[in-house]
Amino acid sequence: MDRQFNTSRESSSREDFKRKASDTQESEIKLLRTDTDKRCISHTNSEDNCELVLPVQPDFYDKNFPDYRQPVEIGCFSLDSRRHLYHDARQLRYCVKPTNKNPNFNLRDGYKDRYIKRNDNIKEKLDHILKWILLNKHKFPMLSGDDKPPALSNQLRTDFITWRGHLTKILTTPYENREGWLLAVTRFNGTYYMSEVETEEARRQREQRTEMQEELMYGGYKFEQYLCADKPGGNPNPEGVVNTNEAFCCVVRTRLNGHSLVFSGEVDCKDDSDPRLKAPQCYVELKTSREIYSPNQERNFHRLVAFASCITTRKIKLNCSKWQSVCCTSS
């Protein structure tokens, strides 16, 4: 059985992931602590009956960043209020920057009577990405020909397929020491599909959220409502309902060293003020936090923004109702 993950210090190469045309393999990857209290990533493969451990101390990765190709958008999809997928951009919203940098937004408005929250108990995993792939197989460089076996001709010729947020969790593991994570990985026709599994600790924290925590989460969505219009040149409607079921997601392709990746991520809105900006560079990530009083809080907030979007190119600070908010264009 081929080893799935290269745990050496050497740069990975394409040969690290040898493809098999017709096998399916499942395994789990989780963040844990060893007996010596050193944090590591553990990969367990039940079929091989082995465990591979990858250290995640920051100094272990104090080296040049591997080659990373600029992501290219290859498609998008929308999710409506019932989480039904549409193969279009109907849920894409457009960023409207306020003229006043101290607009005094009320981020609590509508929490009691105009808020439809997505059901956190329903785990959608990779369902929406897989549906999009079925509609867009022509966008993958698949092998074809009558002389090719069916399994080989159906290969997507892509090493990894996942959500952007899952990659963010992996990449920021050396610098985030509060929360663990668990990923389920399936290899099918030569492609690794990575999906997050909710840990017991994460489930307990979700079920034990206080009313204040729920309201703070709502404030982030409300902030988006103040800054987003449904169409280019339109105006935001903060009197409307906040429905967290609705979403617009882009799908991008990129490469990390010799490994090809296709992943999707939810997009808050688009900045259409500069026609030179093309997707995904024109997409905007919106974040809020409590009001910042110290340099340390400022650093933590910008780290949060970096974790959320990996790369930020522009920021706009807004003070509103005892909150500190930022509008970030991500690339």
Side-chain angles (χ1 to χ4, degrees):
M1 178 63 64
D2 297 333
R3 176 173 292 188
Q4 291 193 43
F5 292 90
N6 176 19
T7 59
S8 70
R9 291 174 179 263
E10 301 298 326
S11 297
S12 56
S13 65
R14 193 167 186 81
E15 285 70 30
D16 291 330
F17 297 88
K18 297 179 181 178
R19 298 177 181 275
K20 282 192 173 182
S22 60
D23 68 341
T24 299
Q25 178 181 343
E26 294 186 357
S27 58
E28 289 186 345
I29 306 172
K30 59 184 177 181
L31 173 65
L32 45 74
R33 289 182 179 272
T34 64
D35 293 338
T36 57
D37 203 35
K38 291 183 178 180
R39 298 168 64 245
C40 64
I41 293 178
S42 171
H43 163 229
T44 303
N45 186 314
S46 58
E47 186 170 337
D48 287 346
N49 193 27
C50 68
E51 182 174 85
L52 305 177
V53 175
L54 177 65
V56 292
Q57 287 75 28
D59 57 353
F60 186 84
Y61 302 97
D62 188 14
K63 59 185 72 173
N64 293 332
F65 195 82
D67 293 333
Y68 181 66
R69 183 177 298 177
Q70 179 71 34
V72 176
E73 184 180 60
I74 59 175
C76 65
F77 58 88
S78 296
L79 302 174
D80 68 4
S81 59
R82 296 174 295 175
R83 301 295 287 180
H84 291 172
L85 183 144
Y86 292 87
H87 193 212
D88 55 37
R90 67 182 63 190
Q91 293 292 350
L92 176 60
R93 298 177 298 174
Y94 298 84
C95 184
V96 180
K97 301 171 187 176
T99 56
N100 184 356
K101 287 193 175 183
N102 294 281
N104 197 28
F105 293 155
N106 182 2
L107 301 185
R108 295 178 172 85
D109 178 49
Y111 176 67
K112 296 295 185 180
D113 58 347
R114 303 195 311 277
Y115 181 29
I116 300 176
K117 183 185 175 185
R118 178 184 165 193
N119 188 348
D120 292 331
N121 291 313
I122 299 177
K123 306 304 178 186
E124 296 169 329
K125 304 177 183 178
L126 297 179
D127 290 357
H128 297 309
I129 300 178
L130 297 178
K131 290 177 182 178
W132 181 89
I133 290 174
L134 291 176
L135 296 170
N136 293 272
K137 277 194 169 184
H138 61 281
K139 296 185 178 181
F140 290 83
M142 295 188 294
L143 299 175
S144 60
D146 296 336
D147 58 334
K148 300 291 190 302
L152 191 60
S153 63
N154 284 327
Q155 280 192 355
L156 299 180
R157 297 192 61 77
T158 299
D159 292 321
F160 294 95
I161 291 178
T162 187
W163 287 103
R164 179 190 62 192
H166 299 353
L167 295 176
T168 302
K169 283 197 173 184
I170 295 173
L171 291 172
T172 58
T173 296
Y175 315 101
E176 170 56 67
N177 54 19
R178 292 175 298 178
E179 298 180 0
W181 48 256
L182 177 65
L183 294 176
V185 182
T186 299
R187 182 175 63 186
F188 178 71
N189 278 352
T191 297
Y192 295 90
Y193 296 83
M194 300 195 307
S195 179
E196 185 175 16
V197 179
E198 186 177 41
T199 64
E200 284 300 311
E201 177 62 24
R203 180 187 60 81
R204 284 194 295 269
Q205 290 182 3
R206 174 173 59 82
E207 293 177 347
Q208 296 173 5
R209 286 177 191 147
T210 65
E211 184 72 11
M212 176 59 71
Q213 289 173 325
E214 293 285 354
E215 190 171 354
L216 289 172
M217 292 177 60
Y218 169 81
Y221 297 113
K222 186 65 182 181
F223 178 62
E224 296 175 15
Q225 193 180 58
Y226 275 108
L227 291 181
C228 297
D230 292 334
K231 58 183 180 180
N235 294 313
N237 177 24
E239 301 303 318
V241 174
V242 172
N243 190 332
T244 61
N245 291 287
E246 299 172 345
F248 168 79
C249 299
C250 70
V251 184
V252 301
R253 176 184 284 124
T254 186
R255 296 190 71 86
L256 182 63
N257 267 355
H259 308 307
S260 56
L261 299 89
V262 169
F263 56 88
S264 179
E266 185 172 342
V267 174
D268 291 338
C269 55
K270 176 182 178 179
D271 180 6
D272 62 347
S273 61
D274 187 347
R276 295 172 299 177
L277 292 177
K278 306 299 181 183
Q281 286 75 27
C282 60
Y283 293 145
V284 175
E285 180 81 10
L286 302 173
K287 290 294 175 186
T288 63
S289 79
R290 288 186 174 181
E291 192 168 13
I292 294 173
Y293 294 101
S294 68
N296 187 53
Q297 290 175 335
E298 179 83 12
R299 286 192 299 270
N300 288 338
F301 178 60
H302 288 290
R303 187 174 72 166
L304 165 67
V305 172
F307 281 11
S309 57
C310 291
I311 301 174
T312 59
T313 57
R314 285 181 293 175
K315 305 182 184 73
I316 302 170
K317 287 186 180 180
L318 303 172
N319 294 316
C320 47
S321 297
K322 298 296 182 180
W323 295 65
Q324 187 80 8
S325 310
V326 67
C327 170
C328 305
T329 302
S330 61
S331 60

